Amino acid sequence: MILEVLGGCAEAEISVATGTDAVGVLVPAENPELCGRLLAGWPSANPAMSLFGRRFVRCDLVRDRWVAVTWYRDPVEDEYADLGPVTLIADRFGPAGQCERTVYLSAAAERMPALRDVVSLVCGRAGVTDAAAGAALETMARLGWITHVGVTLTGPRPRLKINAATPQLPVALAPALSARFRQLRASLGYVACTVDGRGLSGVRLYARPIPGRQLPAVLGGLR
């Protein structure tokens, strides 16, 4: 049972998102035994790439069935240097083995208008107009403290991602998702939004970390 494996971690972050019934469980990827068991259960995730500089792994589950695995790692020297100060690279693997890569730039030290400069560096690569990116940036800045800006470079379509730390649920932005998150009875840690060529296309809500042993009970509250 995958929950038994994840529940053995010291702590975990649970997340829910628009457009999917899956629940994300993000845990530190520092335990070799845990990583080995996760990779054994998800063979499409290339171990050589996924375990290099590993930091976190997120398993997206529908009940106790895996639907995706995302490995978060540090960049190697000068990797994607043309985009800016890259701090994190995420490789998401679906059930068919396809890989979707998102490159994240740190924005925690930036404020407007410098944040606009960070976003303008990557929005073209994400297929997003300056206007759409600017509107999403303003929305997220009103929610909380923007920490990361990312661009999805491979996969079915390019996208821009913006993360903001906040304790407040974005009820106006994602009412149904906010109601679902409340079922977790957990504190919100941060909000991640996705922007494509049509504008805001997705929202993911991450809870603050909880002890791994509490995972089954917390997830049991979701309908």
Side-chain angles (χ1 to χ4, degrees), residues 19-111:
T20 178
D21 292 332
V23 179
V25 179
L26 184 144
V27 297
E30 59 193 16
N31 185 317
E33 181 181 358
L34 169 66
C35 291
R37 293 183 67 180
L38 290 174
L39 286 168
W42 197 265
S44 64
N46 184 317
M49 176 178 65
S50 301
L51 295 180
F52 180 82
R54 61 188 183 272
R55 289 176 59 184
F56 307 100
V57 58
R58 191 184 83 212
C59 300
D60 292 347
L61 312 173
V62 175
R63 297 181 179 86
D64 200 39
R65 179 173 58 86
W66 305 39
V67 294
V69 171
T70 305
W71 294 89
Y72 297 84
R73 65 172 177 85
D74 293 321
V76 298
E77 187 177 0
D78 295 330
E79 192 172 14
Y80 299 107
D82 59 313
L83 292 177
V86 175
T87 60
L88 200 62
I89 295 173
D91 291 316
R92 183 181 188 274
F93 295 89
Q98 71 273 25
C99 177
E100 181 179 272
R101 173 165 290 183
T102 300
V103 177
Y104 288 95
L105 287 69
S106 176
E110 306 291 354
R111 296 291 75 178

Side-chain angles (χ1 to χ4, degrees), residues 79-193:
E79 192 172 14
Y80 299 107
D82 59 313
L83 292 177
V86 175
T87 60
L88 200 62
I89 295 173
D91 291 316
R92 183 181 188 274
F93 295 89
Q98 71 273 25
C99 177
E100 181 179 272
R101 173 165 290 183
T102 300
V103 177
Y104 288 95
L105 287 69
S106 176
E110 306 291 354
R111 296 291 75 178
M112 300 291 189
L115 267 174
R116 290 188 177 276
D117 294 336
V118 173
V119 170
S120 65
L121 284 173
V122 297
C123 66
R125 295 279 292 270
V128 176
T129 65
D130 284 335
L137 194 61
E138 293 285 353
T139 297
M140 295 296 283
R142 286 193 294 270
L143 284 176
W145 187 274
I146 293 176
T147 59
H148 292 86
V149 172
V151 56
T152 300
L153 298 176
T154 63
R157 65 186 190 282
R159 299 185 303 285
L160 177 71
K161 297 189 176 185
I162 303 173
N163 294 0
T166 176
Q168 297 294 120
L169 283 172
V171 177
L173 183 66
L177 185 65
S178 296
R180 188 180 184 213
F181 185 89
R182 286 195 182 99
Q183 296 173 12
L184 293 171
R185 301 187 182 279
S187 299
L188 183 67
Y190 63 99
V191 177
C193 83

